[in-house]
Amino acid sequence: MSPSYRTPEEVNALHERIRFLEEALEANAYAMDVLASTTAIFGDTDRNRSPELIIQNTIESIRRLLPAQDMAVYVLDNDCSFNLAYQEQPGELEPDLADTVEQLIQDGQFSWALHQNHPVCLPSPAAGDSVLLHVISTRTRIRGMFVARFHQAELQRYEMILSTLTMVLFNTAYALESADLFQMMDRRQKALQRITERQSRELLHHMSHDSLTNLPNRMLFSDRLSQAMERHADNAGHVALILLDLDNFKRTNDSLGHRAGDELIRKVAQDLSELLNQARERSGRHLRTTLSRLGGDEFGILVEDGQGLEGVVRLVTDVVRKTATERQIFDQPVVSSVSCGIAIYPYDGEDPDTLLGNADAAMYEAKQRGRNGFRFYTQDLNARTFRHFELENELGQAIANDQLVLHYQPKVELASGRIIGAEALIRWQHPKLGLLPPGHFIELAEDMTLIEEIGEWVLRQVCRDLQSLHMPEEELPRVAINVSARQLRQPDLAGGFHRIIREAGIPPRCIELELTETSIMDDPQGAARVFQRLRQVGMSLAVDDFGTGHASLMQLKQIPADTLKIDRSFVKDLDQGEGHSQIVRAIVLMARTLGLDVIAEGVETERQAQVLQALDCHTAQGYFYSYPVPFANFRELLRPAVVLPVETA
């Protein structure tokens, strides 16, 4: 038999071998093509952010390698659970590939396959089929599992290129890792952006709103005023600017403390906000308002489309009524009121600063006219306001320029006319306006927080004047000094005053401090503490203007005072008949019951002095005996032979 002769069986085997090699070559060519294009799995810089696109690109690559009946990809989530992320033909074949995988998980074979770094073929419930599992993992972390269903014969034909599957899924794992990392960074970036935006909004809100009331502050209010004026520049509408200032707010702040003052500000702001909300609801047409806290105890209200000046009057009247009420501040009843100034654009100013200045001038005029009311701006107010501001500047220099002086009004023993002491009363020797009484500048000094400095100056000057008398200590007169409620809140008022007296060498008994009953009743506990400390260092204490502050007998018992001063309003009518003396009689009886001395101020007639003496009041001061006089004149009145009243008094 010729060597070239082949049997039919051999020829068929040879053809089968050639076909296998051709198919293997074709598969290897596909594998090389897939490997060359595996970077497509990662996608571009935008697409690699999506795990869905990565899985889709992976399936497209594997489909070119292996003719699977069905393919699925499971992805490991943050809770270490495998979730079906993709299935090529869900529910079309029996049994379903997802159900087969679920059975493999229960049998533990899925878990076993996770630890293999190569394709794992397991029998399928369907005859003649196999299930291929291949872990999707980097060198350090499992990302998921690839699952495919094959006819057994087809799988054997492609056994040589299954190693390519390992490389494809290795790239898939890194692509998923990259996408996860990018998404984490993207989430961080978005979170940081949200935080930054929120902080920016909060910062903007903080810069434009008052921290105590959360109302717009002066900066935002001025901006809204400018916008309102621009909106109404070319039409017949108007803009009303209302400035409000709480009356006697510093008295509340000084007597009850800054926390109480802040609480009062908050409650007033709430009441004003509610009032404006109600006004907007009542308005038949759109009413635009802005409420602002401009600083301290000052508020601003901007009103647009207010139905004419009549509507502005109705609104500001409601504001005054709503604010003038009693509020509970930390269990203390506090009565507040407001003074309002109104300026109207375009009549009272064509720019925001002018309008604000004119509204402020009107508000100051409302305060000057008794408070608890409102005033519209008129042109003559500017001159008065300028004079007020000029006075503020000059008062700041009054001490340095030695313009303050003391006058002394004698206190007289009614029975003998003998001078037993005096009250020191401050005056301002103004270079242009002449001698100004305290009513012209003391309240201004309190507003400017100069009252503490002025109080110390008064005490030092009294000590200097007493030193200049060159009398034995036991003969020195007792001099009364007025103390404001603001001074009473100084942390160490008693210690500071005692140091001044000790340095001057004046006996503490020569200094008597007078505080009005109203100031004491604003904070009776605080006043009692300070009075006790002052008594300990040797000074005597008097309750001034008694009868005007509604102090109870129990409150008086708690205050370690030495003297009650009967207010002049009860003294002036004593010579008009018996009926006018009953209040004074009751005050004297109360004082004697508490062991206090009594002095009547404002005595202007001999008859008043006689009635007081009959009512068991032993001491008085007033114009009947002497006007307040400079110290040089007071020194003359202290001569032993002088008995008041005298003609020169």
Side-chain angles (χ1 to χ4, degrees):
M1 186 173 58
S2 171
S4 60
Y5 176 78
R6 295 287 188 274
T7 65
E9 292 79 6
E10 290 177 330
V11 172
N12 289 336
L14 184 59
H15 286 168
E16 186 67 26
R17 178 65 177 170
I18 292 171
R19 188 165 52 253
F20 176 80
L21 290 174
E22 288 175 345
E23 290 177 353
L25 182 61
E26 184 180 3
N28 286 333
Y30 281 138
M32 293 302 296
D33 186 38
V34 168
L35 289 175
S37 61
T38 50
T39 55
I41 293 174
F42 288 87
D44 56 32
T45 54
D46 292 327
R47 297 179 65 193
N48 69 352
R49 302 176 185 180
S50 170
E52 292 78 10
L53 288 175
I54 293 171
I55 293 172
Q56 180 181 336
N57 292 337
T58 298
I59 293 298
E60 289 177 358
S61 297
I62 295 176
R63 192 181 294 114
R64 294 167 61 188
L65 289 173
L66 302 171
Q69 292 177 312
D70 195 4
M71 290 186 285
V73 174
Y74 287 80
V75 175
L76 192 66
D77 63 19
N78 292 330
D79 295 327
C80 297
S81 298
F82 281 90
N83 299 312
L84 180 62
Y86 173 85
Q87 185 177 356
E88 196 168 42
Q89 301 185 56
E92 295 185 8
L93 301 175
E94 290 293 338
D96 187 63
L97 184 58
D99 295 337
T100 301
V101 171
E102 189 65 30
Q103 187 61 47
L104 293 175
I105 292 174
Q106 294 179 9
D107 295 342
Q109 297 184 79
F110 189 92
S111 176
W112 169 77
L114 286 175
H115 298 284
Q116 314 304 313
N117 289 324
H118 55 79
V120 175
C121 291
L122 300 173
S124 171
D129 287 351
S130 295
V131 177
L132 182 145
L133 292 89
H134 197 307
V135 66
I136 304 173
S137 69
T138 66
R139 289 187 175 86
T140 59
R141 185 178 179 186
I142 295 175
R143 301 295 314 187
M145 178 74 82
F146 171 76
V147 184
R149 177 175 173 174
F150 289 90
H151 290 303
Q152 184 67 37
E154 291 180 350
L155 186 61
Q156 291 175 349
R157 292 174 57 191
Y158 289 92
E159 186 175 356
M160 292 180 59
I161 61 172
L162 287 181
S163 59
T164 306
L165 178 64
T166 300
M167 299 182 67
V168 171
L169 295 178
F170 185 70
N171 282 333
T172 301
Y174 272 102
L176 291 172
E177 188 93 359
S178 174
D180 193 34
L181 179 62
F182 186 90
Q183 288 183 349
M184 181 182 69
M185 294 175 62
D186 190 49
R187 286 193 298 270
R188 286 183 179 178
Q189 181 66 27
K190 289 179 179 177
L192 180 62
Q193 184 177 355
R194 286 195 298 270
I195 292 172
T196 303
E197 290 174 352
R198 187 183 69 219
Q199 289 177 336
S200 298
R201 290 194 299 270
E202 291 175 352
L203 179 60
L204 180 61
H205 184 85
H206 176 74
M207 291 175 61
S208 60
H209 287 74
D210 171 55
S211 59
L212 180 63
T213 62
N214 204 36
L215 294 175
N217 61 14
R218 183 179 290 273
M219 179 184 72
L220 181 56
F221 186 75
S222 298
D223 181 64
R224 291 187 180 178
L225 175 59
S226 299
Q227 294 179 25
M229 295 171 73
E230 290 176 4
R231 281 193 293 269
H232 293 269
D234 299 325
N235 57 43
H238 65 266
V239 179
L241 173 61
I242 306 170
L243 293 188
L244 302 77
D245 194 82
L246 291 181
D247 299 326
N248 300 316
F249 175 72
K250 283 184 171 55
R251 179 184 298 173
T252 301
N253 226 16
D254 292 341
S255 59
L256 298 182
H258 291 290
R259 286 183 62 248
D262 289 347
E263 183 65 16
L264 177 60
I265 291 291
R266 275 192 291 266
K267 290 194 173 184
V268 170
Q270 291 171 1
D271 291 344
L272 291 175
S273 297
E274 292 175 3
L275 186 149
L276 293 179
N277 289 336
Q278 294 168 2
R280 284 191 292 269
E281 292 173 0
R282 289 195 307 265
S283 177
R285 58 179 181 173
H286 177 66
L287 177 67
R288 182 178 294 177
T289 63
T290 297
L291 172 64
S292 167
R293 184 191 178 205
L294 303 179
D297 59 332
E298 186 178 7
F299 293 86
I301 299 177
L302 191 62
V303 182
E304 298 179 66
D305 304 320
Q307 298 182 342
L309 296 183
E310 296 83 0
V312 175
V313 171
R314 285 195 298 270
L315 179 62
V316 76
T317 300
D318 289 342
V319 166
V320 172
R321 289 175 179 171
K322 180 76 172 179
T323 311
T325 185
E326 181 178 282
R327 297 176 176 84
Q328 288 296 122
I329 307 296
F330 300 145
D331 298 326
Q332 292 286 337
V334 175
V335 179
S336 63
S337 62
V338 292
S339 298
C340 304
I342 309 165
I344 306 296
Y345 171 81
Y347 315 121
D348 301 328
E350 297 183 353
D351 61 84
D353 290 341
T354 301
L355 205 65
L356 281 164
N358 290 341
D360 192 64
M363 181 180 68
Y364 175 69
E365 177 68 10
K367 282 188 174 293
Q368 292 295 100
R369 288 179 174 265
R371 301 182 172 88
N372 192 30
F374 64 89
R375 295 284 293 174
F376 278 88
Y377 170 76
T378 56
Q379 290 185 353
D380 66 313
L381 292 180
N382 272 339
R384 278 179 275 174
T385 304
F386 176 76
R387 184 68 224 141
H388 173 77
F389 291 143
E390 191 176 50
L391 207 60
E392 280 187 353
N393 295 330
E394 293 168 346
L395 181 58
Q397 302 298 319
I399 296 178
N401 295 336
D402 200 25
Q403 294 173 359
L404 299 182
V405 295
L406 289 182
H407 284 193
Y408 292 83
Q409 185 172 39
K411 294 181 178 182
V412 178
E413 186 178 63
L414 287 171
S416 64
R418 183 174 62 89
I419 297 175
I420 60 171
E423 180 178 359
L425 299 166
I426 192 169
R427 302 287 188 265
W428 180 8
Q429 188 64 57
H430 193 279
K432 297 178 181 177
L433 303 177
L435 193 66
L436 300 180
H440 283 64
F441 62 90
I442 286 298
E443 185 175 348
L444 190 63
E446 290 183 341
D447 290 341
M448 297 173 63
T449 67
L450 284 174
I451 196 65
E452 294 91 343
E453 184 179 357
I454 290 176
E456 285 195 9
W457 178 89
V458 169
L459 180 58
R460 293 183 187 277
Q461 186 60 46
V462 167
C463 290
R464 285 192 289 268
D465 289 342
L466 288 175
Q467 284 176 324
S468 69
L469 292 176
H470 303 297
M471 290 181 175
E473 287 188 1
E474 62 274 9
E475 296 180 12
L476 287 173
R478 178 185 294 174
V479 178
I481 296 172
N482 291 287
V483 178
S484 72
R486 188 179 185 91
Q487 287 176 274
L488 201 65
R489 292 194 59 82
Q490 288 181 252
D492 190 22
L493 177 69
F497 276 16
H498 185 243
R499 281 191 296 274
I500 294 173
I501 296 171
R502 187 178 63 246
E503 291 169 2
I506 299 298
R509 67 159 191 84
C510 292
I511 303 297
E512 181 177 64
L513 302 182
E514 291 187 1
L515 192 69
T516 64
E517 182 189 7
T518 301
S519 299
I520 293 172
M521 290 305 101
D522 283 341
D523 183 17
Q525 291 81 12
R529 288 193 298 271
V530 176
F531 273 33
Q532 188 64 48
R533 180 74 180 100
L534 291 167
R535 284 284 297 275
Q536 290 173 356
V537 299
M539 286 179 274
S540 58
L541 307 163
V543 180
D544 197 7
D545 298 340
F546 186 78
T548 62
H550 311 293
S552 68
L553 182 62
M554 183 60 66
Q555 289 170 324
L556 282 176
K557 286 180 63 178
Q558 296 172 353
I559 298 173
D562 301 283
T563 303
L564 290 186
K565 292 190 71 174
I566 302 174
D567 186 68
R568 65 182 66 248
S569 61
F570 302 116
V571 173
K572 67 178 182 178
D573 295 328
L574 284 179
D575 51 5
Q576 302 301 314
E578 177 66 23
H580 296 279
S581 64
Q582 298 304 317
I583 294 178
V584 175
R585 187 190 307 276
I587 293 175
V588 173
L589 181 60
M590 178 188 297
R592 298 299 180 218
T593 302
L594 296 174
L596 302 177
D597 293 330
V598 183
I599 180 172
E601 58 182 347
V603 178
E604 298 182 357
T605 67
E606 182 177 7
R607 178 58 183 161
Q608 291 170 352
Q610 292 171 348
V611 173
L612 285 169
Q613 193 171 0
L615 293 174
D616 199 26
C617 177
H618 303 154
T619 312
Q621 69 181 87
Y623 295 163
F624 175 64
Y625 297 104
S626 173
Y627 283 83
V629 296
F631 180 71
N633 300 79
F634 178 65
R635 183 202 297 268
E636 293 299 316
L637 294 177
L638 289 176
R639 288 179 297 140
V642 175
V643 174
L644 296 180
V646 295
E647 292 182 6
T648 56

